[in-house]
Amino acid sequence: MKTERSDLFFEKATRLIPGGVNSPVRAFKAVGGKPLFIASASGSKLRDVDGNEFIDYVGSWGPMILGHAHPRVVEAVRNAALSGTSFGAPTELEVSTAELITRLMPSVEMVRMVNSGTEATMSAVRLARAFTGREMIVKFEGCYHGHGDSFLIKAGSGAMTLSVPDSPGVPSTVAAGTLNATFNDLGSVEALVDQNKGQIAALIVEPVVGNMGCVPPARNFLHGLRDLCTKAGIVLIFDEVMTGFRVARGGAQALYGVRPDLTTLGKIIGGGLPVGAYGGRAEIMKLVAPSGPMYQAGTLSGNPLAMSAGFETLSILMGEGDFYDRLERKSSRLAAGIDKNIQDLNIPASQNRVGSMSTLFFTPRSVTDYPSALLADTRRFGTYFRAMLERGIYLAPSQFEAGFVSIAHTDEDIDRTIHASREALKIAFS
Ligand SMILES: *Cc1c(COP(=O)(O)O)cnc(C)c1O
């Protein structure tokens, strides 16, 4: 595969941008090699600056559920741009988008637009603190909620040890306010709630984890969290930045039938433009300025270009009655093909999937939480990743990420992927 031009850009980029990338996951550090520079994309395909073409399963890390450059989304953004790109004053489109979101996700009675998932989770936690008058939060080891200070905390050797920051620059006082529990382990949450009675403002969770690879919730885990939070007066926040409008039209909360107090959104609601949002019970949302005292603002929040892409994307998802059935058929075709490869070749791997989100973990035992995810063989994943790339398949450059199928993936794309995966597995496990 020719990568001259990508290599040249990367060399220049590393002198100008830290690590050569504007978000660390884009670097190919975890898999060895250098990132490709993308020139264009349409439908299920990405094209790099050297003219290589790939079937894309990153989908900009989640937003591109319609595929790249969907004609209706492009047209909506073009029309919005012609009418002015930002006013710093309200527009009709913000109201229509808010209305669409509240219809698709009934637990979201009111919603505030921001510019990224990170902003959404930071704001939701501030709001939960304002609402409860408490300061601590509970999160789960291996869940990612953006790069806000309170979220960059690991539990160290277990949920009961003192919280220490994952990143220099995070104040230890902030780290101390974040408690880590184990995903799919209600007991670990109960223990933290007991030990910190009356002090926990919010519990935030990815209802289907995407950020340690795809890890589905165990039966009754989310319902259990709901009960615990209700009893202890804790605000339950579902971080649906990735799962919202992805795992079902109404997100993971619709799929599993659990109603959170607050929901954070991003990715798909921006249709590929920078958008985030947080929303939920009106009683809580009314505390947000200017209707209430909890301050949160944004110069470009509700930006017309971003809203037009998001509104058009959501309208398509809402308008096509069989959209999620079609997406499921494509996703299960891919998963079945890969499962067959694993069986036929006797590969020690296990696949997790919820709808169009999935991860193939290179560990024979099933992955249900962060410790079990960490058992995956990342060196073999690196070999697999590079073999897939050579065969025109663009996967996320890390074992601990979810892959995404879009509605633009054709059966032919999927069959080519299954075939490539068979060869790549042989190489990785030879
Ligand atoms: C991507 C993601 C975020 C962060 O969103 P950004 O737009 O990258 O700031 C937060 N939570 C989850 C679950 C995500 O997947």
Side-chain angles (χ1 to χ4, degrees):
M1 189 172 69
K2 210 175 107 220
T3 60
E4 264 164 55
R5 284 169 60 80
S6 274
D7 292 349
L8 212 67
F9 283 131
F10 187 57
E11 195 246 313
K12 188 166 179 188
T14 50
R15 279 184 273 122
L16 298 167
I17 303 169
V21 290
N22 280 313
S23 190
V25 292
R26 295 178 197 169
F28 280 22
K29 277 200 157 163
V31 290
K34 297 175 204 162
L36 301 177
F37 280 63
I38 304 305
S40 68
S42 63
S44 60
K45 306 278 173 27
L46 281 181
R47 271 165 296 275
D48 72 9
V49 290
D50 289 287
N52 302 305
E53 188 177 272
F54 304 93
I55 303 171
D56 177 28
Y57 290 96
V58 177
S60 187
W61 301 86
M64 312 316 297
I65 194 167
L66 301 177
H68 295 280
H70 188 287
R72 276 180 58 185
V73 177
V74 171
E75 186 60 19
V77 174
R78 191 202 312 271
N79 287 337
L82 290 170
S83 304
T85 56
S86 185
F87 317 120
T91 61
E92 183 184 346
L93 198 49
E94 292 165 87
V95 187
S96 323
T97 308
E99 191 174 30
L100 255 188
I101 292 171
T102 57
R103 273 167 67 190
L104 289 165
M105 249 178 208
S107 79
V108 177
E109 296 166 355
M110 296 181 91
V111 60
R112 168 59 65 81
M113 298 296 173
V114 292
N115 303 295
S116 70
T118 294
E119 266 189 72
T121 54
M122 281 168 44
S123 309
V125 163
R126 183 183 302 150
L127 178 57
R129 287 176 169 144
F131 180 71
T132 57
R134 305 171 180 178
E135 293 202 343
M136 296 181 114
I137 64 168
V138 173
K139 70 177 279 289
F140 292 90
E141 207 183 357
C143 281
Y144 178 68
H145 303 293
H147 64 84
D149 278 350
S150 325
F151 304 117
L152 292 181
I153 322 292
K154 234 179 354 205
S157 57
M160 308 308 151
T161 59
L162 270 184
S163 293
V164 291
D166 261 352
S167 163
V170 174
S172 54
T173 46
V174 173
T178 301
L179 307 170
N180 271 276
T182 305
F183 192 73
N184 278 333
D185 179 357
L186 275 179
S188 73
V189 184
E190 264 160 2
L192 291 175
V193 172
D194 276 351
Q195 286 160 17
N196 300 277
K197 273 207 175 64
Q199 295 184 71
I200 300 171
L203 183 148
I204 186 165
V205 63
E206 290 182 73
V208 175
V209 190
N211 288 292
M212 51 177 142
C214 176
V215 179
R219 182 190 299 274
N220 289 329
F221 176 63
L222 298 175
H223 285 97
L225 294 181
R226 176 66 280 179
D227 291 345
L228 265 171
C229 287
T230 304
K231 278 198 202 105
I234 296 169
V235 174
L236 176 62
I237 306 173
F238 273 12
D239 181 356
E240 296 227 43
V241 170
M242 186 182 289
T243 55
F245 320 111
R246 164 63 65 183
V247 297
R249 189 176 272 109
Q253 51 195 273
L255 189 62
Y256 297 100
V258 178
R259 196 178 169 101
D261 300 304
L262 294 177
T263 299
T264 52
L265 296 166
K267 299 193 170 122
I268 289 175
I269 53 161
L273 272 80
V275 183
Y278 64 103
R281 278 164 55 195
E283 176 198 5
I284 305 179
M285 290 304 292
K286 281 183 178 156
L287 291 183
V288 178
S291 110
M294 198 250 9
Y295 196 73
Q296 183 274 309
T299 301
L300 291 174
S301 295
N303 171 265
L305 293 191
M307 291 294 103
S308 66
F311 181 80
E312 200 60 30
T313 299
L314 295 183
S315 302
I316 293 169
L317 298 180
M318 199 156 161
E320 294 179 11
D322 64 346
F323 184 93
Y324 288 89
D325 294 333
R326 282 164 51 220
L327 192 60
E328 172 61 26
R329 271 199 301 279
K330 293 170 193 286
S331 310
S332 69
R333 183 188 186 96
L334 177 64
I338 289 179
D339 268 338
K340 185 168 183 304
N341 288 343
I342 299 172
Q343 305 278 314
D344 289 353
L345 301 170
N346 201 16
I347 300 281
S350 71
Q351 194 173 201
N352 280 349
R353 178 175 79 89
V354 177
S356 55
M357 265 172 83
S358 68
T359 300
L360 176 62
F361 287 101
F362 288 139
T363 162
R365 53 163 290 197
S366 65
V367 173
T368 56
D369 54 20
Y370 191 58
S372 52
L374 288 182
L375 297 177
D377 186 334
T378 53
R379 199 186 50 84
R380 283 200 204 275
F381 177 82
T383 311
Y384 176 75
F385 169 87
R386 289 188 302 275
M388 289 295 268
L389 199 64
E390 286 288 340
R391 285 160 183 76
I393 313 293
Y394 191 85
L395 303 175
S398 161
Q399 166 74 94
F400 305 111
E401 298 289 351
F404 301 104
V405 173
S406 79
I407 205 74
H409 286 85
T410 62
D411 283 353
E412 197 210 326
D413 289 334
I414 287 165
D415 293 345
R416 261 183 61 198
T417 307
I418 295 167
H419 182 74
S421 135
R422 198 177 184 85
E423 294 177 20
L425 285 170
K426 280 186 199 158
I427 293 169
F429 287 86
S430 64

